[in-house]
Amino acid sequence: MVSSRRSEAERADAASARDAGVDPLRPADYDDGTAGGDDATSGGDGTSAAGSAGPAASVTAPKLGPVEWLRFAWRQLTSMRTALLLLLLLAIAAVPGSLVPQRSSDPNGVVQYFADNPDLAPVLDSFQMFDVYTSVWFSAIYLLLFVSLIGCIIPRTKHHLEALRARPPKTPARLSRLSAYTERELVSGGRVAAEPRIETAETSEAAIASAAAELKRAGYRVERYDRRGVPSVSAERGYLRETGNLVFHTALVGVLVTVAIGGGFGFSGQRVIVEGQSFVNTLAAYDSFNPGRFFDDGRLTPYRLTLDELDAVYETENTDALGQPIDFTAHVTIDGPDGSAERDVKVNEPLYEYGTDVYLLGNGYAPIITVRDPDGEVVFTDSVPFLPQDANLTSIGVIKVPDGLDEQIGMVGFFYPTQSTLSSGAYTSTYPDLVFPVLTLNVYSGDLGIDDGTPRSVYQLDTSGMEQLTGGQTGVDSVELMPGESTELPNGLGTVEFESASPDAAGDDFSQSVPRFASFDVHHDPSQVWVLVFALLILGGLLLSLFVPRRRMWVKAVTRPDGRVVLEYAGLARGDDPGLERAVEEFADRHAGQGRRSEDPVVE
């Protein structure tokens, strides 16, 4: 009767409110944006029809000061979304390092790139494209990623430790509302002997106790609850998922730190070695050297690396891939504090000796050039590495003779391992091995530009202040030689000879007539082991975060009004877990099968 009167009073209040223009379901000071001014809903005194004092004010956000802006920027930087974005940006920023040669690993390639692209190369250099991994913009992304990851990891680790110490949540009042839900009947209805309530309670307690034990064996953290005499157990597992996530991000920070340390204390040096020649691991012996910020050249272990032979294997049977390289093997001899040892270096199989990794980067031919003055005295002789220009090893090289002749001369040479003539009359190489080797030389005389002490690349010849004597527009044919041949230089300057490395070979056997060279990269990185450790942790953490489900499960013993005791089973997953319902069903079948079943006989 009271409820009926209350309903009538509420309906009356609602009707009067509607008559006054007020929505009875909203508070009296609610502002829908139409109050105030000359609006029809406003009173003549400026008050709203709802009775609020004065016109409603619009909601404005508080003004942010410097501290608030810094706090906002920090929260944005340390969000996981920003960390992932920076990680993707770092991967994109590293792409130019594989598209153009880098000074740290291929300085000769940088020189050649400037020669081939005189207009584009300076523009790329202004954006530090030839020093990508030490550039300002790459370092900025690197440092921001480092700070972002640290800012993500610390609070998440604190929260995760607190969650590990916390009790599993209380059992929900209505498990049937959860999607992963099932129930099993424990005690059927009917008249039970002597003290049915005591027996039912003991049965429920035993069932919940066995459920708790079973869940604990399955790896769950369990907690018993008893709400209003209804026993239940709450269990949860899957914290390894978050642990793996934290391990993944912490190990990623470890990789960043160790790479930075390795870059600071390591070094990378390049050296071109011709067959039969040696290299000593000292600072002055490198063609180019890139030390870390904290590198000390006194830490270099002195050893000698001799290139005994370079084996190159090319495809000879498949006509569609004729001349394609199959394998390169550099046979070397290492002489160091531990004695002498013969080793092999392949493209993907570096040599590790005395704390350094020796990589085989490239190879080519190094023709032996000898220049004599008019009296026959040798003024220059050396195996000159020629840089390959295509897959068939058409190569270009530079010979500089600063002393011994009446004038300084420079020669730009083109070497063709298997010379052939194109329809245009130009020479080319049709096969990378030595079948019909030919060397052509364009001769220049004048100032080589090396007397003033300015460093000059051995692979470039500045001809701006020199006179061209052969080739081009001179009307004089370029010097053309095969192994073992020699010819006169223009203007009676002397002679030039293309020496054969195998003078005793048959006249048409050129297979060993020109020595090869190998380009080695000697790399020292003290952080390699730690990088491997952190990489394995990254992989393990990622697998845990992907394949360990985060689940909660509850078991409750409920006594129905008809006297039946029913075990309710329910599960809840954090995130997508397609196996949750099946897991709840399987646990219910396994657990209910251990206790009294509804088909068991009931004591009368």
Side-chain angles (χ1 to χ4, degrees):
M1 188 70 179
V2 174
S3 61
S4 176
R5 292 175 180 174
R6 183 176 300 167
S7 300
E8 292 176 0
E10 290 175 351
R11 285 195 294 271
D13 291 341
S16 61
R18 281 193 297 271
D19 293 340
V22 179
D23 190 343
L25 300 180
R26 292 174 175 170
D29 60 348
Y30 172 77
D31 176 25
D32 62 357
T34 61
D38 296 330
D39 195 280
T41 60
S42 300
D45 57 355
T47 59
S48 65
S52 59
S58 60
V59 178
T60 57
K63 185 178 180 179
L64 298 181
V67 176
E68 287 75 15
W69 276 113
L70 287 175
R71 184 180 294 114
F72 173 76
W74 174 254
R75 288 178 177 174
Q76 295 301 313
L77 177 61
T78 56
S79 67
M80 189 57 65
R81 179 179 301 175
T82 302
L84 293 174
L85 180 62
L86 288 171
L87 187 61
L88 176 62
L89 192 60
L90 188 70
I92 296 175
V95 171
S98 61
L99 298 180
V100 296
Q102 300 295 295
R103 288 191 175 95
S104 60
S105 59
D106 188 12
N108 295 330
V110 175
V111 172
Q112 189 63 43
Y113 194 93
F114 270 82
D116 296 339
N117 305 275
D119 297 327
L120 178 61
V123 176
L124 294 179
D125 197 22
S126 66
F127 289 99
Q128 298 179 294
M129 288 298 179
F130 300 105
D131 303 280
V132 168
Y133 306 112
T134 56
S135 63
V136 173
W137 46 272
F138 189 87
S139 300
I141 299 173
Y142 186 93
L143 293 176
L144 284 175
L145 175 61
F146 181 80
V147 173
S148 179
L149 288 173
I150 292 292
C152 290
I153 290 170
I154 293 177
R156 288 184 62 178
T157 301
K158 180 177 178 294
H159 177 75
H160 184 53
L161 293 176
E162 292 174 352
L164 288 175
R165 293 193 298 266
R167 299 171 60 190
K170 292 183 178 181
T171 306
R174 299 182 182 179
L175 295 179
S176 59
R177 292 183 174 181
L178 301 179
S179 58
Y181 172 81
T182 188
E183 61 182 42
R184 299 291 185 271
E185 191 171 327
L186 181 63
V187 178
S188 61
R191 199 165 60 82
V192 187
E195 299 177 89
R197 292 184 179 181
I198 296 177
E199 180 177 334
T200 301
E202 291 177 350
T203 304
S204 300
E205 285 292 336
I208 295 302
S210 65
E214 183 71 21
L215 287 169
K216 186 174 292 187
R217 284 193 296 270
Y220 285 85
R221 298 169 57 232
V222 299
E223 187 73 24
R224 288 287 305 275
Y225 291 102
D226 192 346
R227 184 179 182 183
R228 297 178 183 176
V230 178
S232 65
V233 60
S234 176
E236 61 180 351
R237 75 172 184 182
Y239 279 96
L240 276 178
R241 184 186 187 96
E242 179 64 12
T243 301
N245 204 332
L246 290 173
V247 168
F248 170 80
H249 290 92
T250 304
L252 188 58
V253 172
V255 168
L256 296 177
V257 172
T258 51
V259 167
I261 293 174
F265 290 93
F267 70 87
S268 177
Q270 294 74 38
R271 177 59 191 260
V272 173
I273 307 177
V274 180
E275 288 178 327
Q277 296 183 3
S278 300
F279 151 76
V280 179
N281 187 34
T282 58
L283 187 60
Y286 284 94
D287 294 330
S288 60
F289 192 80
N290 300 279
R293 185 180 299 273
F294 311 109
F295 172 75
D296 179 11
D297 59 358
R299 301 173 64 91
L300 288 174
T301 302
Y303 65 84
R304 183 175 63 188
L305 176 69
T306 302
L307 178 61
D308 300 321
E309 186 180 4
L310 180 69
D311 286 339
V313 180
Y314 300 102
E315 177 62 52
T316 58
E317 297 181 0
N318 185 356
T319 55
D320 294 331
L322 190 66
Q324 292 295 319
I326 297 177
D327 184 49
F328 294 109
T329 304
H331 304 285
V332 300
T333 300
I334 296 286
D335 295 293
D338 298 336
S340 179
E342 295 183 353
R343 297 285 187 269
D344 291 339
V345 188
K346 293 178 178 291
V347 174
N348 294 318
E349 299 178 14
L351 170 67
Y352 183 80
E353 290 288 343
Y354 301 107
T356 60
D357 292 294
V358 182
Y359 296 88
L360 177 61
L361 296 183
N363 67 90
Y365 291 99
I368 304 174
I369 309 297
T370 299
V371 178
R372 294 179 172 85
D373 64 10
D375 297 329
E377 296 293 331
V378 175
V379 296
F380 175 90
T381 181
D382 197 5
S383 287
V384 181
F386 276 50
L387 300 180
Q389 304 298 301
D390 56 30
N392 290 320
L393 297 188
T394 298
S395 307
I396 185 172
V398 171
I399 300 99
K400 299 179 182 180
V401 185
D403 302 306
L405 301 178
D406 293 340
E407 299 180 68
Q408 292 184 345
I409 66 169
M411 293 179 279
V412 178
F414 293 88
F415 179 68
Y416 311 92
T418 304
Q419 183 265 337
S420 180
T421 305
L422 299 174
S423 57
S424 61
Y427 285 177
T428 187
S429 177
T430 57
Y431 189 72
D433 214 348
L434 295 171
V435 177
F436 191 75
V438 171
L439 174 68
T440 62
L441 298 170
N442 290 334
V443 183
Y444 297 81
S445 65
D447 184 10
L448 293 173
I450 60 178
D451 293 337
D452 57 359
T454 303
R456 304 287 182 179
S457 171
V458 297
Y459 299 103
Q460 282 187 322
L461 178 64
D462 184 4
T463 61
S464 57
M466 305 186 74
E467 178 186 359
Q468 186 172 358
L469 304 180
T470 65
Q473 304 297 323
T474 63
V476 180
D477 292 338
S478 299
V479 175
E480 183 174 324
L481 301 170
M482 294 187 70
E485 296 180 348
S486 64
T487 189
E488 297 286 334
L489 288 170
N491 299 340
L493 292 173
T495 61
V496 58
E497 180 182 0
F498 180 12
E499 293 192 24
S500 174
S502 57
D504 298 331
D508 57 350
D509 182 13
F510 298 105
S511 60
Q512 303 296 324
S513 60
V514 183
R516 300 186 74 117
F517 74 84
S519 175
F520 292 101
D521 181 81
V522 183
H523 186 73
H524 172 65
D525 185 358
S527 64
Q528 283 182 330
V529 175
W530 286 106
V531 170
L532 175 61
V533 170
F534 284 122
L536 294 176
L537 288 175
I538 286 175
L539 180 60
L542 184 62
L543 292 177
L544 286 176
S545 63
L546 290 177
F547 297 109
V548 173
R550 178 80 179 271
R551 290 173 178 171
R552 287 175 177 171
M553 192 174 292
W554 295 275
V555 182
K556 182 193 294 186
V558 180
T559 303
R560 303 292 194 209
D562 58 0
R564 292 183 304 118
V565 177
V566 176
L567 292 177
E568 296 183 341
Y569 303 85
L572 185 65
R574 183 173 182 177
D576 187 23
D577 188 358
L580 178 63
E581 294 185 12
R582 186 182 65 208
V584 172
E585 289 284 346
E586 290 177 352
F587 178 78
D589 292 337
R590 185 169 63 253
H591 174 252
Q594 297 175 358
R596 290 178 63 184
R597 303 290 297 272
S598 59
E599 58 267 20
D600 293 340
V602 181
V603 179
E604 292 292 345

